[in-house]
Amino acid sequence: MTISEVSQKYDISQDTLRYYERIGLIPRVNRNKSGIRDYTEEDCGWVEFIKCMRGAGLSVEVLVEYVRLYLEDGSEKTLKARKDLLIEQRKQLVARLEEMQKVLARLDYKISVLS
């Protein structure tokens, strides 16, 4: 897949995809004979994963660390570290969700008293 096709499929700008690759947020994408990025299914899996995690609020720095750990020494040696990282991010996400539930309840209340 070309960068244009990946950009359209995942609704991410081409500049963002290039940036993600440059900073190590997605592993280096192979290029064809003409030097054009040629995304594989595995590359697309990374794009999808990163988009999902960013949408959930995980920071670029945390995700770069996750990718670095995954690519380090065949990934099996870093399994615990990656799992711990994701568990910590999940805890933070749950806390944010609880806070958002409180805000939503307050908004619902305000809307109801104004009706």
Side-chain angles (χ1 to χ4, degrees):
M1 267 182 143
T2 66
I3 194 169
S4 175
E5 292 168 330
V6 173
S7 172
Q8 288 177 335
K9 180 175 181 175
Y10 296 102
D11 193 29
I12 301 174
S13 76
Q14 292 179 36
D15 286 340
T16 299
L17 288 168
R18 287 184 198 98
Y19 171 71
Y20 282 178
E21 184 181 349
R22 187 172 64 252
I23 66 169
L25 197 52
I26 57 174
R28 186 97 24 218
V29 175
N30 290 325
R31 295 174 183 253
N32 65 19
K33 293 176 186 175
S34 302
I36 297 170
R37 285 175 177 83
D38 185 19
Y39 287 79
T40 63
E41 287 294 320
E42 183 177 348
D43 296 328
C44 289
W46 278 108
V47 171
E48 185 176 29
F49 172 73
I50 296 302
K51 182 175 179 177
C52 176
M53 295 297 109
R54 290 290 294 139
L58 275 70
S59 72
V60 167
E61 294 79 15
V62 165
L63 292 169
V64 167
E65 176 66 7
Y66 180 88
V67 173
R68 186 192 68 74
L69 288 168
Y70 181 85
L71 296 174
E72 184 180 297
D73 284 332
S75 79
E76 288 300 315
K77 294 179 182 178
T78 64
L79 193 60
K80 182 181 181 331
R82 287 182 288 130
K83 184 176 182 179
D84 290 346
L85 186 145
L86 292 177
I87 288 169
E88 178 57 32
Q89 293 305 303
R90 185 184 187 285
K91 287 178 187 175
Q92 291 178 22
L93 180 57
V94 167
R96 285 194 310 271
L97 285 170
E98 288 171 354
E99 184 60 32
M100 290 177 78
Q101 288 290 349
K102 290 176 187 176
V103 171
L104 181 59
R106 186 166 185 178
L107 276 171
D108 287 344
Y109 169 76
K110 287 301 231 180
I111 290 167
S112 72
V113 298
L114 293 173
S115 297

